[in-house]
Amino acid sequence: MTASLTPPEHEHNALVEQAAQWLADQANPPRPIIPALRQRFNLSALEATEAAAMSDRFRICRKAFG
C-alpha cells in the first residue's frame, strides 16, 4: 500500500466538493448556509464550513476564468 502525499488538512472528500459545487451554483444561496449544507449533504459542521469556503473559491475562479 502506498502512503498519501497529501496532508490530511488538504484532503477534501467528494461530498464536501459536491456541496461546494452545489452552493456555488445557487443564485440565491440558502441562509444560514452551514445548517443548510449540513442538512442537505449530511456534513459535519467542519465539512460544511469547508464546503462554504470552497464554494467562494469556485465562484471567484468562475468569474476570473469563465
Side-chain angles (χ1 to χ4, degrees):
M1 188 185 301
T2 61
S4 173
L5 299 177
T6 305
E9 63 271 16
H10 294 291
E11 290 183 355
H12 300 288
N13 74 36
L15 197 53
V16 169
E17 190 170 332
Q18 180 182 4
Q21 290 174 350
W22 175 84
L23 184 58
D25 290 340
Q26 301 306 302
N28 295 312
R31 301 284 185 206
I33 291 172
I34 302 305
L37 290 174
R38 291 189 72 194
Q39 181 179 13
R40 184 175 184 94
F41 294 95
N42 195 28
L43 300 174
S44 70
L46 178 59
E47 290 170 327
T49 303
E50 290 173 351
M54 189 183 296
S55 74
D56 287 339
R57 290 190 299 273
F58 286 165
R59 280 192 209 99
I60 291 168
C61 288
R62 286 177 185 170
K63 286 180 183 177
F65 302 109

